[in-house]
Amino acid sequence: MKIAHVVGARPNFMKVAPILEVIERHNRRPGQEVIQSLLVHTGQHYDYAMSQSFFEELGLPKPDINLEVGSGSHAVQTAKIMTAFEEVVQREQPDLVLVVGDVNSTMACAITAKKLHTAVAHVEAGLRSGDMTMPEEVNRKVTDAIADYCFTTDRIADANLGVEGVPNDRIFFVGNVMIDTLLTHLERARRSTILETLGLRDGDQPRSYAVVTLHRPSNVDDPRALREICEALKTAARRLPVIFPCHPRTRERLDAFELTGMITDGSITMTAPLGYLDFLQLNAHAAMILTDSGGIQEEATILGVPCLTLRENTERPITVTQGTNRLVGNRREIILAGIEWARRQAGQRISRPEKWDGKAAERIVEVLAGLARSGALRSGGLRQAVRQSVG
Ligand code: UD1
């Protein structure tokens, strides 16, 4: 069986890494049906810090194919990915296309594969924020509507898929591959010297500091929202160091709205996007994390670090009910109240959501190996005919 694994943007790399590794282990076991992996990078993220550094640190193989689509409006980026990926599917004839997460590359490749009658598996299916103004929510819903195999991180996601009419036999509750990667690399991350580099140690002990990440259009494309967040961060930075690894689009917007000066006057440490291990070490020792990212809410839950999500909603409600997460939106006063709440959370007990145990990729590969054994995906005479007629 041949699987095309799609990665495009930063949050995809740590989700695909454990799956590829478990497939390699599976292939080395005698008597197993070999699963061939083809790694396709769409090139949605292309800077060293947003892409290649993750391949190096996570031990990901070099992509077999890089579509080099780069940045663009949603329609342009999606169209470029679809056009280039269609050729890949026609040429490589994978039995299954595996997509992860909710970025434009996820949706674009799922649609392309499906229209060529190629089976699609979606890892991290069923997450819903209920907010259709988020590009990721559109990507999630479209992808799940057409995926043949929906791998979910929790029971809430299963229920969401059920409500949308996805039959039970397409849903597989496997746990969280992003947490597989976190647990694999936590020990190695301790060797990172990022705390020393940023002056965040007092002797042997980490100082109390906050980590901030921001990139959602709803926060960074709206000058009023971005200003309010910057004001809250500046106020917070009077009491504890604030470290802000800055996403390229956020850096552009801060400059465009003339806000960079406000937060780089010494109170906040802005850095380039960090590598996986440095960022993990930084988060693991933080007093709190302020973020609008999806995955970081989950990582904070497992690390037991209070997390303030700078959004009105989350597609990962389990991080609120069971984890350390609180939604604070983007208004200055509410963020500051959240920071006071986070200060009081130090030392809270960590409760780990079901199956966030480092074995999600194993469960996924078990399902895939079952498909390989059964030959279920190779019976598609129609698929072959469609590919030939389109090609
Ligand atoms: C994308 C995902 C988002 C994910 C985020 C993680 C979509 C719709 N959004 O958002 O879900 O959480 O990645 O980072 O897919 N840029 C660079 N260098 C790069 C990549 C991007 O400078 O390597 C800049 C460009 O100015 C670009 C902008 O970032 O125009 C937006 O990049 P894009 O990939 O379209 O979306 P993100 O905001 O990164």
Side-chain angles (χ1 to χ4, degrees), residues 149-320:
Y149 305 94
C150 292
F151 293 111
T152 61
T153 50
D154 61 42
R155 298 280 185 201
I156 307 169
D158 292 3
N160 290 338
L161 293 170
V163 167
E164 290 173 15
V166 177
N168 269 336
D169 62 0
R170 281 208 265 140
I171 305 172
F172 300 84
F173 170 39
V174 291
N176 193 325
V177 283
M178 191 153 190
I179 301 306
D180 288 9
T181 297
L182 181 147
L183 296 174
T184 301
H185 292 282
L186 201 50
E187 201 49 49
R188 260 180 82 211
R190 286 189 220 286
R191 296 202 288 272
S192 149
T193 53
I194 190 72
L195 301 189
E196 290 74 12
T197 306
L198 296 174
L200 296 172
R201 273 201 198 279
D202 269 336
D204 276 356
Q205 289 305 311
R207 294 170 65 193
S208 185
Y209 60 88
V211 177
V212 179
T213 81
L214 275 180
H215 73 280
R216 294 262 162 237
S218 57
N219 284 330
V220 306
D221 291 355
D222 172 357
R224 186 199 59 78
L226 192 53
R227 175 173 290 276
E228 292 243 356
I229 294 171
C230 289
E231 283 172 2
L233 296 180
K234 199 172 160 70
T235 306
R238 290 194 203 122
R239 294 181 58 192
L240 83 173
V242 173
I243 313 299
F244 183 8
C246 196
H247 189 287
R249 70 178 283 134
T250 308
R251 175 77 71 158
E252 271 173 28
R253 299 299 190 277
L254 286 167
D255 289 345
F257 303 148
E258 296 177 1
L259 292 168
T260 310
M262 183 204 280
I263 57 168
T264 51
D265 63 356
S267 54
I268 295 172
T269 304
M270 233 161 107
T271 73
L274 296 177
Y276 184 79
L277 296 172
D278 282 345
F279 191 59
L280 180 52
Q281 168 76 343
L282 189 65
N283 282 340
H285 292 94
M288 66 187 78
I289 299 171
L290 294 89
T291 188
D292 57 12
S293 150
I296 296 172
Q297 298 168 45
E298 297 179 340
E299 293 174 335
T301 288
I302 293 299
L303 295 170
V305 176
C307 178
L308 301 174
T309 294
L310 304 166
R311 291 169 44 192
E312 302 295 340
N313 50 56
T314 177
E315 62 288 339
R316 292 160 161 95
I318 200 166
T319 62
V320 176

Side-chain angles (χ1 to χ4, degrees), residues 9-11 44-48 50-51 70-72 74 77 102-105 135-136 139 215-217 247-249 252-253 293-294:
R10 182 169 61 177
Q44 178 174 345
H45 283 177
Y46 43 85
D47 286 351
Y48 176 83
M50 300 293 285
S51 176
S71 302
H74 284 271
Q77 192 175 57
D102 56 16
V103 302
N104 286 341
S105 303
E136 294 82 2
N139 294 341
H215 73 280
R216 294 262 162 237
H247 189 287
R249 70 178 283 134
E252 271 173 28
R253 299 299 190 277
S293 150

Side-chain angles (χ1 to χ4, degrees), residues 34 62 68 92 96 98 105 116 132 138 144-145 171 200-201 208 325 351-352 364 373-374:
V34 169
K62 193 169 173 293
E68 296 183 358
E92 299 290 339
L96 178 87
L98 184 141
S105 303
L116 292 171
M132 285 297 278
V138 178
D144 288 339
I171 305 172
L200 296 172
R201 273 201 198 279
S208 185
N325 192 17
S351 112
R352 185 178 281 188
I364 290 170
R373 271 194 303 278
S374 70

